[in-house]
Amino acid sequence: DPVEIALARAELLARPPEPDPAAVLAVAQNPAQYKAKADRYRLLAGVGEVMAALGKRREAIDLFRRAAAEMPFDLGTRAAAYNLALAEKDAVVQAELLTEIGKLDGDDGPTRLVAEVTAALATVRPGDSAKIAELRAKAKAAQAKRDRWAQVY
């Protein structure tokens, strides 16, 4: 089947009233059936999005990371996996993804800065004005680089 059909199948399997996460995940079981790297990427990232929507964050992280392996210069899947790892409180995966994001975006790139700010927000204590100022400066630096990007607001 073309990748579009596989993705449509995954979306149908995720629909209420009885979504079937295992069946959705099975759609991405054999990405090697697609010769084109772009098709493998679309399959893995697309099923990753469906799994994330179903609340299956660990599975989505794995799918996004596999998609990223197909497209080594893609920031989007890494950022999506990072946000899910943050929600899962998986510090190891967060650190790995932050390193990957930094290699692609630069240590002062907007995606990296937003990822750092997002992670640090959970650790800020009320009244810690120095930390708040530091995070605000990073957010403003990201905003200056991507002023129309909703994530920096």
Side-chain angles (χ1 to χ4, degrees), residues 3-150:
V3 71
E4 293 82 4
I5 299 295
L7 290 172
R9 183 179 306 116
E11 290 177 13
L12 284 171
L13 291 166
R15 285 194 178 172
E18 294 182 34
D20 188 348
V24 171
L25 192 57
V27 170
Q29 191 172 23
N30 185 20
Q33 67 182 310
Y34 299 102
K35 288 185 178 21
K37 192 178 267 204
D39 285 342
R40 292 190 302 270
Y41 168 84
R42 285 183 24 220
L43 176 72
L44 294 166
V47 175
E49 289 173 8
V50 174
M51 293 302 286
L54 289 172
K56 301 296 183 184
R57 293 188 294 230
R58 291 258 173 229
E59 293 86 345
I61 290 167
D62 178 60
L63 288 161
F64 284 138
R65 293 187 87 181
R66 290 170 55 203
E70 294 293 336
M71 294 288 180
F73 300 105
D74 180 61
L75 273 171
T77 51
R78 286 172 176 83
Y82 180 84
N83 289 333
L84 292 170
L86 190 61
E88 284 290 302
K89 297 178 177 32
D90 188 333
V92 172
V93 173
Q94 287 174 43
E96 291 170 357
L97 288 164
L98 195 58
T99 298
E100 291 177 29
I101 289 168
K103 286 179 183 174
L104 295 174
D105 200 37
D107 287 337
D108 63 344
T111 304
R112 166 125 182 165
L113 291 173
V114 168
E116 288 176 355
V117 169
T118 304
L121 282 173
T123 66
V124 175
R125 300 205 189 285
D128 188 350
S129 55
K131 187 68 170 177
I132 292 168
E134 175 191 339
L135 296 178
R136 186 173 286 131
K138 282 185 179 186
K140 285 189 182 278
Q143 186 179 8
K145 294 175 184 191
R146 287 211 184 141
D147 66 337
R148 297 186 187 265
W149 194 31

